[in-house]
Amino acid sequence: MAKILDKKLVSPAVYELVIEAPLIARKCKPGQFVIVLSDPESERVPFTIADFDREKGTITMIIQVVGNTSRHICEDFEAGDEWDNIVGPLGQPSEMKNFGTVVCVGGGIGVAPVYPIARAYKELGNKVISIIGARNKELVLWEDRMRAVSDELIVCTDDGSYGHKGFVTDPLKAMLEKGEKVDYVIAIGPVIMMRNVARTTEPFKVFTAVSLNTIMVDGTGMCGGCRVLVGGENKFACVDGPEFDAHKVDFANLMERQKMYKTQESVEWGCGGACKCLK
């Protein structure tokens, strides 16, 4: 059983949950994930570990309500309740070393899994520049946490309601065009954002890693649903990743595969495809 110690709404439809999981907290590393089964009748769902405390034996997850299972996990359970089980840590951890100057890019709830990675890079002596983005000020996530582990933090909003008006690629591109030294870039967020980060850094030959956690299903390599083309080879995001060389990822193939079940998903939501939640 996995006990929920704390639960709070951090932005519209986005919840922060602290879970009692001492064995996972003891072993997990930045970039890894867990699989949650909230009750025997539910489905198994992978979530990235957004934070962990080895002494307290806890892990933290940021979960956005986007479907029936995530709604059930976030809205039908309260602090003190227990999920049926939680499995992890799974996946390959982020590559950790002193690269020099690291730029950590987080879009939307992708900021949460970027946080422990940025913290670890800072602890290893890297200069950490973090760029986080959201559609508007209300949706900016974990700004204080990211600022605490960064030498420099840049906040972007699509509508300009807070920080830099524009996308996370704007300050990144400006940085590279000015000739600022950047040794490594890690980007986590919507697939289109990660693709655009890859396109931004490729002309400057700056190694860029992206986390393809959004395509994971089973999380153990058994279902094959998370197949991605990386350098022309089939890889499984859950066991070979979730992080890959962004310049080798076939983003066109990835984005097409993500559209495969949108009709069924919209029916499951009950909107029949009439709303914009899945578009």
Side-chain angles (χ1 to χ4, degrees), residues 8 10 44 60 110 116-117 121 140 170 183-184 207 247:
K8 59 185 175 184
V10 292
R44 302 165 67 258
T60 300
I117 297 171
Y121 283 146
V140 174
D170 296 340
D183 300 292
Y184 189 91
F207 184 87
H247 302 149

Side-chain angles (χ1 to χ4, degrees), residues 3-279:
K3 187 175 183 180
I4 302 171
L5 300 180
D6 188 41
K7 167 190 163 181
K8 59 185 175 184
L9 187 69
V10 292
S11 67
V14 177
Y15 291 82
E16 177 184 315
L17 297 104
V18 179
I19 310 300
E20 185 178 49
L23 295 179
I24 297 174
R26 186 187 307 166
K27 294 289 187 180
C28 69
K29 296 179 180 179
Q32 294 186 297
F33 66 95
V34 295
I35 291 178
V36 172
L37 180 68
S38 59
D39 53 75
E41 289 74 39
S42 189
E43 64 177 331
R44 302 165 67 258
V45 189
F47 295 108
T48 308
I49 299 169
D51 197 5
F52 53 88
D53 189 314
R54 303 199 197 282
E55 291 186 5
K56 294 180 180 179
T58 62
I59 62 172
T60 300
M61 289 181 287
I62 294 292
I63 303 177
Q64 183 175 28
V65 175
V66 294
N68 285 334
T69 300
S70 55
R71 181 208 58 76
H72 176 54
I73 285 174
C74 291
E75 297 180 4
D76 295 342
F77 292 84
E78 301 297 336
D81 293 339
E82 293 184 340
W83 289 331
D84 193 73
N85 65 69
I86 186 169
V87 177
L90 299 171
Q92 302 298 320
S94 304
E95 183 181 3
M96 283 293 148
K97 66 180 184 180
N98 190 329
F99 293 101
T101 298
V102 176
V103 177
C104 298
V105 185
I109 63 169
V111 172
V114 161
Y115 168 71
I117 297 171
R119 178 177 60 189
Y121 283 146
K122 182 66 176 172
E123 290 172 351
L124 286 169
N126 291 280
K127 177 183 179 181
V128 176
I129 301 172
S130 297
I131 306 172
I132 62 175
R135 293 197 304 274
N136 55 57
K137 182 179 180 179
E138 189 179 22
L139 299 177
V140 174
L141 185 68
W142 278 13
E143 179 184 355
D144 291 344
R145 290 195 188 210
M146 290 300 297
R147 194 177 300 280
V149 299
S150 306
D151 293 280
E152 180 183 354
L153 176 68
I154 302 168
V155 182
C156 305
T157 52
D158 295 357
D159 65 358
S161 55
Y162 187 61
H164 168 83
K165 181 179 181 179
F167 305 123
V168 291
T169 48
D170 296 340
L172 177 60
K173 184 178 181 180
M175 196 182 306
L176 294 170
E177 288 180 338
K178 284 193 294 184
E180 292 189 28
K181 183 177 180 291
V182 175
D183 300 292
Y184 189 91
V185 174
I186 171 76
I188 306 179
V191 171
I192 193 167
M193 182 218 82
M194 293 189 288
R195 182 200 66 181
N196 290 339
V197 168
R199 289 180 174 178
T200 300
T201 59
E202 192 166 20
F204 299 91
K205 301 187 184 324
V206 176
F207 184 87
T208 303
V210 291
S211 179
L212 306 185
N213 49 37
T214 55
I215 199 172
M216 293 192 302
V217 183
D218 172 80
T220 63
M222 298 294 289
C223 72
C226 68
R227 279 191 324 279
V228 292
L229 280 172
V230 182
E233 297 181 3
N234 272 312
K235 299 289 185 180
F236 293 111
C238 63
V239 291
D240 297 317
E243 291 178 18
F244 297 98
D245 182 338
H247 302 149
K248 294 182 179 180
V249 172
D250 186 335
F251 281 103
N253 175 268
L254 176 60
M255 294 172 76
E256 282 301 313
R257 293 192 62 242
Q258 284 201 307
K259 297 176 184 176
M260 287 177 63
Y261 300 107
K262 289 212 168 188
T263 300
Q264 291 87 342
E265 289 169 353
S266 64
V267 170
E268 181 69 14
W269 261 102
C271 66
C275 73
K276 296 181 180 180
C277 63
L278 296 163
K279 296 179 180 177

